[in-house]
Amino acid sequence: DPSKCADEISKADLASIVGNKRACEALQEVGVDVFVLVDNMEAIFAPEEREWEDGDDDDDESAEPKEKKLSFDDFTEVIYSLRGTNTATLKDILETRKIMQ
């Protein structure tokens, strides 16, 4: 039912999607490698450095990372970026390098 669609997609939502045989078949039809998607779920939903729930700027080790959710547009972009027909671009390499530093 489209009226029940979430505005944002969480890691739990994606886990439900990849646990559904028909959804996996649909993803594969558009060229998405479902195994790569599952392998990258942690990275896809990793919180940004500034997305912590403690509410203050102190380096509090007890702070928990805030659960990251994706808008439908961002989710669609991630899904399509995981299609097997996509090749790494210079932008991808530079973003990876920035993350690793």
Side-chain angles (χ1 to χ4, degrees):
D1 180 10
S3 65
K4 293 183 180 179
C5 288
D7 291 334
E8 295 180 316
I9 295 160
S10 68
K11 186 167 63 172
D13 295 330
L14 182 54
S16 291
I17 291 168
V18 297
N20 180 297
K21 183 179 177 183
R22 290 185 67 196
C24 289
E25 289 169 352
L27 289 168
Q28 289 173 334
E29 284 178 17
V30 296
V32 174
D33 186 330
V34 177
F35 294 108
V36 171
L37 179 59
V38 171
D39 285 345
N40 287 288
M41 282 177 54
E42 291 297 323
I44 292 168
F45 290 97
E48 301 289 328
E49 286 183 31
R50 58 189 172 277
E51 291 180 346
W52 293 84
E53 291 185 350
D54 66 345
D56 55 59
D57 294 331
D58 297 338
D59 290 333
D60 183 4
E61 291 183 18
S62 66
E64 293 291 322
K66 193 170 157 185
E67 180 180 311
K68 181 176 179 178
K69 294 184 178 183
L70 299 174
S71 70
F72 184 77
D73 289 342
D74 289 341
F75 175 73
T76 303
E77 186 176 319
V78 167
I79 293 299
Y80 281 122
S81 73
L82 293 173
R83 291 183 297 172
T85 58
N86 288 345
T87 57
T89 64
L90 178 59
K91 178 183 173 190
D92 297 327
I93 294 167
L94 293 174
E95 286 180 11
T96 303
R97 189 171 123 195
K98 184 173 103 176
I99 291 169
M100 294 178 72
Q101 290 180 348

XYZ file of all heavy atoms in Angstrom:
791
model
N 0.848 -1.187 0.000
C 0.000 0.000 0.000
C 0.889 1.244 0.000
O 1.580 1.491 0.988
C -0.910 -0.044 1.225
C -1.848 1.142 1.330
O -1.950 1.932 0.361
O -2.489 1.285 2.379
N 0.891 2.048 -1.072
C 1.754 3.220 -1.162
C 1.522 4.243 -0.055
O 2.420 4.968 0.304
C 1.431 3.817 -2.531
C 0.805 2.716 -3.303
C 0.148 1.825 -2.303
N 0.308 4.306 0.499
C 0.042 5.290 1.547
C 0.777 4.954 2.830
O 0.929 5.797 3.706
C -1.461 5.383 1.828
O -1.928 4.152 2.354
N 1.281 3.717 2.956
C 2.003 3.307 4.152
C 3.519 3.408 3.984
O 4.266 2.988 4.844
C 1.623 1.873 4.532
C 0.188 1.737 4.971
C -0.107 0.321 5.390
C -1.557 0.194 5.823
N -1.878 -1.167 6.207
N 3.995 3.940 2.868
C 5.428 4.055 2.624
C 6.055 5.025 3.611
O 5.494 6.077 3.910
C 5.701 4.556 1.202
S 5.359 3.313 -0.045
N 7.210 4.658 4.101
C 7.931 5.517 5.034
C 8.594 6.656 4.270
O 8.984 6.502 3.117
C 8.976 4.705 5.771
N 8.725 7.801 4.947
C 9.432 8.928 4.348
C 10.921 8.647 4.306
O 11.628 9.146 3.449
C 9.184 10.209 5.142
C 7.750 10.687 5.017
O 7.098 10.377 4.003
O 7.282 11.371 5.941
N 11.387 7.848 5.263
C 12.801 7.515 5.350
C 12.965 6.006 5.486
O 12.094 5.322 5.998
C 13.431 8.205 6.553
C 13.430 9.705 6.447
C 14.053 10.362 7.648
O 13.762 9.940 8.786
O 14.847 11.295 7.446
N 14.103 5.531 5.049
C 14.377 4.100 5.084
C 15.527 3.847 6.042
O 16.591 4.470 5.933
C 14.685 3.587 3.665
C 13.423 3.760 2.825
C 15.142 2.134 3.686
C 13.604 3.780 1.382
N 15.317 2.938 6.973
C 16.325 2.599 7.972
C 17.039 1.311 7.569
O 16.644 0.626 6.621
C 15.670 2.410 9.336
O 14.857 1.239 9.313
N 18.078 0.976 8.330
C 18.786 -0.280 8.083
C 17.850 -1.462 8.288
O 17.894 -2.438 7.539
C 20.002 -0.383 9.009
C 20.869 -1.579 8.726
C 22.218 -1.517 9.404
C 22.125 -1.506 10.881
N 23.423 -1.638 11.552
N 16.956 -1.372 9.272
C 15.981 -2.452 9.507
C 15.031 -2.589 8.318
O 14.682 -3.706 7.931
C 15.196 -2.186 10.791
N 14.632 -1.463 7.727
C 13.773 -1.511 6.533
C 14.495 -2.218 5.391
O 13.911 -3.058 4.704
C 13.373 -0.100 6.080
C 12.505 0.642 7.086
O 11.753 -0.025 7.824
O 12.600 1.880 7.127
N 15.767 -1.878 5.200
C 16.527 -2.509 4.126
C 16.709 -3.999 4.403
O 16.629 -4.817 3.476
C 17.879 -1.825 3.935
C 18.738 -2.371 2.798
C 17.987 -2.381 1.472
C 20.031 -1.577 2.669
N 16.908 -4.361 5.655
C 17.029 -5.783 6.004
C 15.747 -6.528 5.636
O 15.792 -7.661 5.146
C 17.352 -5.941 7.483
N 14.601 -5.889 5.857
C 13.323 -6.506 5.465
C 13.224 -6.648 3.959
O 12.731 -7.658 3.447
C 12.146 -5.666 5.967
O 12.041 -5.725 7.350
N 13.692 -5.650 3.244
C 13.642 -5.681 1.783
C 14.487 -6.831 1.256
O 14.028 -7.624 0.434
C 14.103 -4.336 1.185
C 13.071 -3.240 1.501
C 14.340 -4.448 -0.320
C 13.545 -1.832 1.210
N 15.722 -6.941 1.731
C 16.599 -7.991 1.200
C 16.211 -9.371 1.726
O 16.673 -10.380 1.194
C 18.104 -7.700 1.455
C 18.525 -6.436 0.739
C 18.417 -7.644 2.929
N 15.342 -9.412 2.719
C 14.816 -10.684 3.202
C 13.588 -11.144 2.438
O 13.059 -12.223 2.684
N 13.142 -10.330 1.494
C 11.954 -10.637 0.704
C 12.381 -11.118 -0.684
O 13.043 -10.385 -1.433
C 11.083 -9.379 0.592
C 9.831 -9.595 -0.196
O 9.877 -9.891 -1.386
N 8.706 -9.408 0.459
N 12.020 -12.345 -1.024
C 12.449 -12.942 -2.295
C 12.025 -12.105 -3.492
O 12.822 -11.863 -4.406
C 11.883 -14.358 -2.410
C 12.320 -15.077 -3.659
C 11.761 -16.476 -3.736
C 12.178 -17.131 -5.037
N 11.612 -18.456 -5.186
N 10.786 -11.626 -3.509
C 10.299 -10.829 -4.651
C 11.051 -9.508 -4.768
O 11.351 -9.054 -5.879
C 8.800 -10.586 -4.522
C 8.014 -11.891 -4.736
C 6.538 -11.669 -4.735
N 6.175 -10.879 -5.911
C 5.017 -10.263 -6.045
N 4.097 -10.341 -5.101
N 4.741 -9.576 -7.127
N 11.363 -8.896 -3.628
C 12.118 -7.641 -3.659
C 13.522 -7.877 -4.206
O 14.029 -7.084 -5.007
C 12.181 -7.027 -2.262
N 14.154 -8.977 -3.790
C 15.489 -9.314 -4.292
C 15.472 -9.561 -5.795
O 16.370 -9.120 -6.516
C 16.048 -10.529 -3.554
S 16.513 -10.176 -1.853
N 14.445 -10.243 -6.250
C 14.321 -10.484 -7.692
C 14.170 -9.167 -8.449
O 14.765 -8.983 -9.518
C 13.140 -11.406 -7.976
C 13.377 -12.836 -7.532
C 12.126 -13.713 -7.566
O 11.014 -13.178 -7.804
O 12.262 -14.932 -7.354
N 13.391 -8.237 -7.901
C 13.206 -6.933 -8.544
C 14.525 -6.159 -8.571
O 14.849 -5.520 -9.584
C 12.133 -6.129 -7.806
N 15.272 -6.212 -7.482
C 16.574 -5.538 -7.448
C 17.516 -6.139 -8.494
O 18.203 -5.410 -9.203
C 17.190 -5.638 -6.053
C 16.528 -4.803 -4.967
C 17.033 -5.199 -3.590
C 16.757 -3.317 -5.221
N 17.512 -7.457 -8.584
C 18.376 -8.124 -9.564
C 17.962 -7.782 -10.993
O 18.818 -7.656 -11.874
C 18.372 -9.630 -9.338
C 19.106 -10.014 -8.066
C 18.979 -11.481 -7.710
O 18.010 -12.141 -8.083
N 19.950 -11.990 -6.979
N 16.667 -7.595 -11.233
C 16.184 -7.234 -12.572
C 16.727 -5.899 -13.046
O 16.914 -5.697 -14.243
C 14.656 -7.221 -12.604
C 14.031 -8.595 -12.633
C 12.512 -8.545 -12.626
O 11.936 -7.479 -12.916
O 11.908 -9.594 -12.322
N 16.972 -4.971 -12.109
C 17.533 -3.674 -12.496
C 19.054 -3.667 -12.375
O 19.690 -2.623 -12.493
C 16.908 -2.494 -11.704
C 15.439 -2.358 -12.009
C 17.166 -2.614 -10.217
N 19.638 -4.843 -12.122
C 21.091 -4.965 -12.138
C 21.787 -4.780 -10.808
O 23.012 -4.656 -10.766
N 21.043 -4.739 -9.706
C 21.648 -4.561 -8.385
C 22.148 -5.911 -7.873
O 21.425 -6.906 -7.908
C 20.639 -3.965 -7.380
C 21.224 -3.917 -5.972
C 20.213 -2.578 -7.824
N 23.386 -5.949 -7.418
C 23.943 -7.147 -6.804
C 23.494 -7.146 -5.341
O 23.997 -6.375 -4.526
C 25.467 -7.132 -6.909
C 26.098 -8.414 -6.414
O 25.532 -9.064 -5.507
O 27.183 -8.759 -6.914
N 22.526 -7.987 -5.025
C 21.939 -8.014 -3.685
C 22.983 -8.387 -2.636
O 22.967 -7.863 -1.517
C 20.721 -8.961 -3.630
C 20.157 -9.054 -2.223
C 19.646 -8.485 -4.598
N 23.919 -9.269 -2.987
C 24.962 -9.659 -2.035
C 25.859 -8.477 -1.683
O 26.236 -8.289 -0.525
C 25.795 -10.822 -2.589
C 24.989 -12.079 -2.739
C 24.631 -12.536 -4.003
C 24.566 -12.800 -1.631
C 23.877 -13.684 -4.155
C 23.803 -13.947 -1.773
C 23.458 -14.392 -3.035
N 26.176 -7.644 -2.674
C 26.972 -6.442 -2.415
C 26.171 -5.476 -1.544
O 26.712 -4.852 -0.624
C 27.418 -5.779 -3.739
C 28.055 -4.418 -3.491
C 28.369 -6.689 -4.494
N 24.895 -5.366 -1.812
C 24.021 -4.508 -1.010
C 24.037 -4.950 0.455
O 24.237 -4.134 1.354
C 22.598 -4.536 -1.566
C 21.539 -3.722 -0.833
C 21.906 -2.253 -0.786
C 20.181 -3.914 -1.488
N 23.864 -6.234 0.695
C 23.872 -6.760 2.067
C 25.238 -6.540 2.719
O 25.329 -6.102 3.874
C 23.490 -8.258 2.082
C 23.711 -8.874 3.455
C 22.033 -8.428 1.653
N 26.307 -6.803 1.979
C 27.655 -6.624 2.516
C 27.956 -5.179 2.889
O 28.804 -4.920 3.746
C 28.712 -7.095 1.507
C 28.799 -8.601 1.410
O 28.257 -9.303 2.301
O 29.411 -9.093 0.442
N 27.267 -4.239 2.253
C 27.553 -2.817 2.481
C 26.511 -2.107 3.333
O 26.552 -0.886 3.458
C 27.710 -2.109 1.137
C 29.005 -2.477 0.477
O 30.060 -2.057 0.915
N 28.930 -3.298 -0.556
N 25.600 -2.846 3.942
C 24.548 -2.204 4.743
C 25.119 -1.360 5.881
O 24.633 -0.259 6.141
C 23.571 -3.244 5.288
C 22.579 -3.707 4.247
S 21.448 -4.990 4.807
C 20.725 -4.290 6.258
N 26.135 -1.864 6.563
C 26.734 -1.103 7.670
C 27.295 0.229 7.169
O 27.116 1.265 7.809
C 27.821 -1.921 8.366
C 27.305 -3.101 9.141
C 26.397 -2.722 10.305
O 26.640 -1.698 10.972
O 25.425 -3.462 10.535
N 27.986 0.195 6.034
C 28.571 1.419 5.481
C 27.489 2.376 4.987
O 27.592 3.587 5.168
C 29.526 1.071 4.341
N 26.448 1.831 4.371
C 25.364 2.672 3.855
C 24.690 3.444 4.983
O 24.352 4.617 4.831
C 24.335 1.807 3.089
C 24.958 1.257 1.802
C 23.064 2.595 2.788
C 24.142 0.166 1.122
N 24.530 2.788 6.126
C 23.819 3.420 7.235
C 24.746 3.885 8.359
O 24.280 4.176 9.466
C 22.749 2.465 7.778
C 21.607 2.291 6.820
C 21.563 1.205 5.963
C 20.603 3.237 6.739
C 20.528 1.042 5.054
C 19.570 3.098 5.837
C 19.527 1.995 4.993
N 26.047 3.984 8.091
C 26.983 4.473 9.107
C 26.672 5.938 9.406
O 26.473 6.739 8.494
C 28.414 4.330 8.611
N 26.617 6.293 10.696
C 26.311 7.687 11.042
C 27.451 8.613 10.630
O 28.615 8.214 10.609
C 26.152 7.656 12.562
C 26.842 6.421 13.004
C 26.818 5.463 11.857
N 27.081 9.815 10.278
C 28.079 10.840 9.990
C 28.799 11.160 11.293
O 28.265 10.944 12.377
C 27.398 12.105 9.449
C 26.593 11.898 8.194
C 27.460 11.629 6.975
O 28.579 12.160 6.908
O 27.008 10.878 6.101
N 29.992 11.719 11.207
C 30.765 12.031 12.414
C 29.997 12.930 13.377
O 30.110 12.797 14.575
C 32.083 12.706 12.038
C 33.090 11.762 11.448
C 34.402 12.448 11.148
O 34.751 13.407 11.867
O 35.066 12.032 10.209
N 29.212 13.828 12.856
C 28.524 14.793 13.718
C 27.138 14.324 14.152
O 26.405 15.047 14.785
C 28.434 16.145 13.026
C 27.722 16.113 11.703
C 27.860 17.445 10.976
N 27.344 17.363 9.648
C 27.995 16.889 8.585
N 29.209 16.454 8.709
N 27.434 16.861 7.396
N 26.751 13.108 13.802
C 25.422 12.594 14.131
C 25.465 11.707 15.377
O 25.307 10.510 15.318
C 24.849 11.801 12.953
C 24.501 12.657 11.772
C 23.938 11.841 10.628
O 24.053 10.603 10.644
O 23.378 12.455 9.713
N 25.673 12.326 16.520
C 25.702 11.584 17.780
C 24.578 12.094 18.660
O 24.181 13.250 18.597
C 27.060 11.737 18.457
C 28.117 11.062 17.659
C 28.797 11.582 16.587
C 28.574 9.725 17.802
N 29.652 10.646 16.069
C 29.547 9.508 16.796
C 28.268 8.695 18.676
C 30.198 8.295 16.655
C 28.937 7.493 18.527
C 29.889 7.302 17.531
N 24.058 11.236 19.519
C 22.855 11.548 20.287
C 23.090 12.223 21.632
O 22.154 12.526 22.331
C 22.052 10.258 20.528
C 21.438 9.716 19.274
C 20.563 8.517 19.518
O 20.577 7.982 20.641
O 19.859 8.123 18.595
N 24.329 12.479 22.018
C 24.538 12.986 23.366
C 24.093 14.436 23.540
O 23.891 14.876 24.663
C 25.996 12.805 23.792
C 26.963 13.659 22.981
O 26.588 14.180 21.919
O 28.108 13.798 23.422
N 23.969 15.185 22.469
C 23.427 16.532 22.562
C 24.432 17.604 22.902
O 24.144 18.781 22.821
N 25.644 17.237 23.327
C 26.649 18.257 23.576
C 27.888 17.938 22.763
O 28.016 16.901 22.163
C 26.969 18.400 25.068
C 27.396 17.087 25.698
O 28.399 16.508 25.230
O 26.732 16.651 26.655
N 28.821 18.887 22.762
C 29.995 18.754 21.913
C 31.175 18.097 22.604
O 32.249 18.004 22.046
C 30.426 20.140 21.389
C 29.371 20.729 20.458
O 28.670 19.940 19.809
O 29.271 21.960 20.397
N 30.997 17.638 23.835
C 32.087 16.992 24.558
C 32.423 15.658 23.917
O 31.598 15.031 23.268
C 31.707 16.758 26.028
C 31.472 18.060 26.763
O 31.995 19.105 26.304
O 30.776 18.034 27.787
N 33.629 15.212 24.121
C 34.035 13.898 23.626
C 33.605 12.838 24.618
O 34.416 12.184 25.261
C 35.549 13.839 23.401
C 35.980 14.682 22.227
O 35.156 14.870 21.315
O 37.136 15.133 22.220
N 32.327 12.633 24.755
C 31.756 11.680 25.695
C 31.750 10.302 25.061
O 31.067 10.072 24.079
C 30.327 12.115 26.055
C 29.687 11.225 27.093
O 30.369 10.310 27.602
O 28.500 11.441 27.382
N 32.511 9.379 25.638
C 32.601 8.040 25.069
C 31.304 7.259 25.219
O 31.104 6.249 24.565
C 33.756 7.273 25.706
C 35.105 7.838 25.302
C 36.249 7.024 25.871
O 36.015 5.865 26.271
O 37.357 7.540 25.900
N 30.395 7.709 26.090
C 29.137 6.996 26.282
C 28.088 7.372 25.242
O 27.021 6.782 25.205
C 28.587 7.268 27.686
O 28.226 8.636 27.792
N 28.397 8.352 24.401
C 27.442 8.787 23.383
C 27.214 7.672 22.374
O 28.135 6.990 21.959
C 27.952 10.042 22.678
N 25.979 7.489 21.996
C 25.601 6.471 21.024
C 25.422 7.117 19.657
O 24.898 8.217 19.557
C 24.282 5.806 21.438
C 24.381 4.982 22.694
C 25.223 3.737 22.500
O 25.138 3.119 21.411
O 25.973 3.392 23.418
N 25.840 6.422 18.603
C 25.599 6.982 17.273
C 24.107 6.999 16.974
O 23.384 6.092 17.346
C 26.334 6.025 16.332
C 26.532 4.782 17.110
C 26.512 5.148 18.554
N 23.679 8.072 16.342
C 22.282 8.216 15.955
C 22.024 7.339 14.735
O 22.836 7.286 13.821
C 22.059 9.683 15.609
C 20.649 10.112 15.484
C 20.660 11.631 15.382
C 19.441 12.135 14.717
N 19.499 13.565 14.504
N 20.911 6.615 14.734
C 20.605 5.751 13.591
C 20.389 6.597 12.349
O 19.584 7.511 12.330
C 19.353 4.918 13.859
C 19.012 4.014 12.706
C 17.775 3.172 12.945
O 17.687 2.548 14.010
O 16.902 3.175 12.076
N 21.126 6.270 11.315
C 21.010 7.003 10.057
C 19.855 6.432 9.255
O 19.660 5.225 9.191
C 22.310 6.870 9.260
C 22.300 7.626 7.948
C 23.648 7.515 7.280
C 23.668 8.248 5.963
N 24.997 8.166 5.346
N 19.080 7.310 8.663
C 18.001 6.916 7.763
C 18.196 7.666 6.462
O 18.747 8.754 6.434
C 16.640 7.249 8.376
C 16.344 6.431 9.618
C 14.966 6.702 10.131
C 14.701 5.830 11.351
N 13.352 6.005 11.849
N 17.745 7.052 5.393
C 17.872 7.658 4.069
C 16.510 8.074 3.545
O 15.528 7.356 3.732
C 18.473 6.645 3.084
C 19.861 6.113 3.387
C 20.227 5.026 2.382
C 20.885 7.214 3.375
N 16.479 9.227 2.888
C 15.256 9.612 2.189
C 15.065 8.622 1.053
O 16.001 7.919 0.649
C 15.377 11.032 1.633
O 16.312 11.060 0.565
N 13.872 8.558 0.510
C 13.629 7.634 -0.599
C 14.543 7.959 -1.775
O 15.084 7.059 -2.418
C 12.160 7.651 -1.026
C 11.866 6.642 -2.087
C 11.742 5.295 -1.758
C 11.739 7.014 -3.416
C 11.500 4.342 -2.748
C 11.495 6.074 -4.401
C 11.366 4.728 -4.065
N 14.743 9.258 -2.058
C 15.625 9.655 -3.161
C 17.054 9.190 -2.920
O 17.709 8.668 -3.822
C 15.594 11.171 -3.372
C 14.289 11.654 -3.971
O 13.543 10.827 -4.541
O 14.009 12.861 -3.865
N 17.555 9.384 -1.684
C 18.913 8.946 -1.360
C 19.023 7.424 -1.430
O 20.021 6.884 -1.910
C 19.333 9.429 0.025
C 19.568 10.930 0.078
O 19.764 11.552 -0.988
O 19.543 11.484 1.193
N 17.989 6.740 -0.955
C 17.973 5.278 -1.004
C 18.031 4.800 -2.454
O 18.802 3.900 -2.798
C 16.719 4.749 -0.308
C 16.552 3.268 -0.403
C 17.361 2.414 0.324
C 15.587 2.721 -1.227
C 17.213 1.038 0.232
C 15.423 1.346 -1.322
C 16.242 0.504 -0.592
N 17.237 5.411 -3.308
C 17.217 5.044 -4.725
C 18.591 5.276 -5.354
O 19.080 4.442 -6.121
C 16.138 5.844 -5.478
O 14.878 5.600 -4.859
C 16.067 5.459 -6.934
N 19.221 6.383 -5.000
C 20.555 6.686 -5.528
C 21.568 5.614 -5.095
O 22.386 5.154 -5.893
C 21.001 8.064 -5.034
C 22.301 8.533 -5.633
C 22.648 9.945 -5.186
O 21.748 10.802 -5.118
O 23.837 10.169 -4.913
N 21.502 5.200 -3.831
C 22.396 4.146 -3.337
C 22.148 2.847 -4.086
O 23.083 2.173 -4.525
C 22.221 3.943 -1.810
C 22.897 2.666 -1.347
C 22.768 5.133 -1.041
N 20.882 2.494 -4.231
C 20.533 1.246 -4.921
C 21.070 1.260 -6.352
O 21.719 0.309 -6.794
C 19.002 1.025 -4.920
C 18.500 0.761 -3.504
C 18.608 -0.100 -5.868
C 19.069 -0.462 -2.841
N 20.832 2.334 -7.057
C 21.291 2.389 -8.443
C 22.811 2.469 -8.547
O 23.398 2.016 -9.521
C 20.619 3.530 -9.208
C 19.225 3.165 -9.632
C 18.132 3.919 -9.240
C 18.988 2.045 -10.424
C 16.843 3.568 -9.618
C 17.707 1.683 -10.802
C 16.645 2.455 -10.405
O 15.385 2.097 -10.781
N 23.468 3.010 -7.530
C 24.931 3.055 -7.567
C 25.536 1.669 -7.380
O 26.701 1.453 -7.702
C 25.466 4.019 -6.505
O 25.330 3.473 -5.207
N 24.750 0.719 -6.875
C 25.241 -0.638 -6.654
C 24.956 -1.574 -7.832
O 25.180 -2.779 -7.728
C 24.626 -1.218 -5.368
C 25.084 -0.540 -4.088
C 24.297 -1.064 -2.903
C 26.575 -0.730 -3.869
N 24.472 -1.022 -8.918
C 24.247 -1.858 -10.093
C 25.584 -2.307 -10.654
O 26.559 -1.559 -10.648
C 23.469 -1.101 -11.167
C 22.035 -0.841 -10.752
C 21.274 -0.171 -11.829
N 21.887 1.136 -12.089
C 21.553 1.919 -13.088
N 20.623 1.567 -13.933
N 22.141 3.071 -13.257
N 25.624 -3.529 -11.119
C 26.855 -4.104 -11.646
C 27.395 -3.404 -12.872
O 28.566 -3.523 -13.199
N 26.549 -2.630 -13.554
C 26.999 -1.942 -14.763
C 27.743 -0.660 -14.450
O 28.345 -0.067 -15.338
C 25.794 -1.599 -15.674
O 24.874 -0.794 -14.930
C 25.108 -2.866 -16.155
N 27.728 -0.222 -13.197
C 28.421 1.013 -12.826
C 29.906 0.740 -12.632
O 30.307 -0.273 -12.081
C 27.845 1.592 -11.523
C 26.482 2.184 -11.713
O 26.054 2.428 -12.830
N 25.778 2.400 -10.631
N 30.713 1.672 -13.098
C 32.154 1.579 -12.870
C 32.555 2.693 -11.917
O 31.860 3.700 -11.791
C 32.925 1.709 -14.195
O 32.554 2.951 -14.819
C 32.614 0.565 -15.132
N 33.663 2.497 -11.236
C 34.148 3.521 -10.317
C 34.576 4.752 -11.107
O 35.230 4.648 -12.136
C 35.317 2.990 -9.506
N 34.187 5.907 -10.596
C 34.572 7.167 -11.220
C 35.644 7.824 -10.372
O 35.915 7.400 -9.242
C 33.370 8.120 -11.325
O 32.945 8.455 -9.987
C 32.217 7.499 -12.098
N 36.251 8.846 -10.901
C 37.235 9.601 -10.134
C 36.598 10.140 -8.863
O 37.214 10.129 -7.795
C 37.810 10.736 -10.986
C 38.821 11.646 -10.289
C 40.008 10.831 -9.797
C 39.274 12.746 -11.223
N 35.364 10.597 -8.961
C 34.646 11.096 -7.786
C 34.556 10.013 -6.709
O 34.779 10.277 -5.532
C 33.242 11.563 -8.186
C 32.421 12.056 -7.023
C 31.018 12.425 -7.477
C 30.166 12.750 -6.276
N 28.769 12.875 -6.613
N 34.233 8.780 -7.095
C 34.152 7.678 -6.145
C 35.487 7.447 -5.444
O 35.557 7.241 -4.238
C 33.719 6.381 -6.841
C 32.328 6.464 -7.436
O 31.469 7.161 -6.855
O 32.105 5.822 -8.477
N 36.554 7.470 -6.223
C 37.886 7.238 -5.671
C 38.270 8.355 -4.705
O 38.792 8.100 -3.620
C 38.916 7.095 -6.813
C 38.599 5.825 -7.613
C 40.343 7.073 -6.268
C 39.331 5.720 -8.922
N 37.981 9.591 -5.066
C 38.308 10.721 -4.196
C 37.493 10.689 -2.902
O 38.011 10.987 -1.820
C 38.098 12.048 -4.932
C 39.061 12.307 -6.093
C 38.664 13.584 -6.829
C 40.494 12.376 -5.605
N 36.220 10.316 -3.001
C 35.393 10.202 -1.801
C 35.907 9.100 -0.885
O 35.952 9.259 0.330
C 33.933 9.945 -2.171
C 33.233 11.160 -2.713
C 31.790 10.903 -3.085
O 31.247 9.835 -2.740
O 31.188 11.769 -3.715
N 36.320 7.988 -1.469
C 36.887 6.893 -0.686
C 38.164 7.331 0.005
O 38.375 7.063 1.189
C 37.161 5.666 -1.590
O 35.947 5.288 -2.220
C 37.721 4.510 -0.788
N 38.998 8.021 -0.712
C 40.256 8.529 -0.135
C 39.991 9.485 1.019
O 40.640 9.400 2.062
C 41.071 9.218 -1.222
C 42.458 9.578 -0.777
C 43.264 10.038 -1.954
N 43.735 11.376 -1.624
C 44.227 12.222 -2.486
N 44.305 11.912 -3.746
N 44.638 13.391 -2.104
N 38.997 10.356 0.854
C 38.650 11.315 1.907
C 38.168 10.588 3.163
O 38.536 10.940 4.275
C 37.557 12.269 1.391
C 37.194 13.351 2.365
C 36.242 14.336 1.717
C 34.867 14.071 2.204
N 33.868 15.018 1.720
N 37.393 9.545 2.992
C 36.870 8.791 4.121
C 37.990 8.074 4.862
O 38.003 8.003 6.087
C 35.798 7.775 3.650
C 34.558 8.523 3.194
C 35.461 6.763 4.732
C 33.543 7.657 2.464
N 38.955 7.559 4.120
C 40.038 6.780 4.713
C 41.061 7.636 5.451
O 41.823 7.122 6.250
C 40.708 5.934 3.651
C 39.780 4.862 3.097
S 40.504 3.888 1.804
C 41.670 2.914 2.749
N 41.085 8.929 5.210
C 42.078 9.799 5.864
C 41.698 10.156 7.256
O 40.690 10.204 7.728
C 42.268 11.083 5.057
C 42.966 10.809 3.750
C 43.166 12.076 2.932
O 42.605 13.120 3.222
N 43.951 11.953 1.888
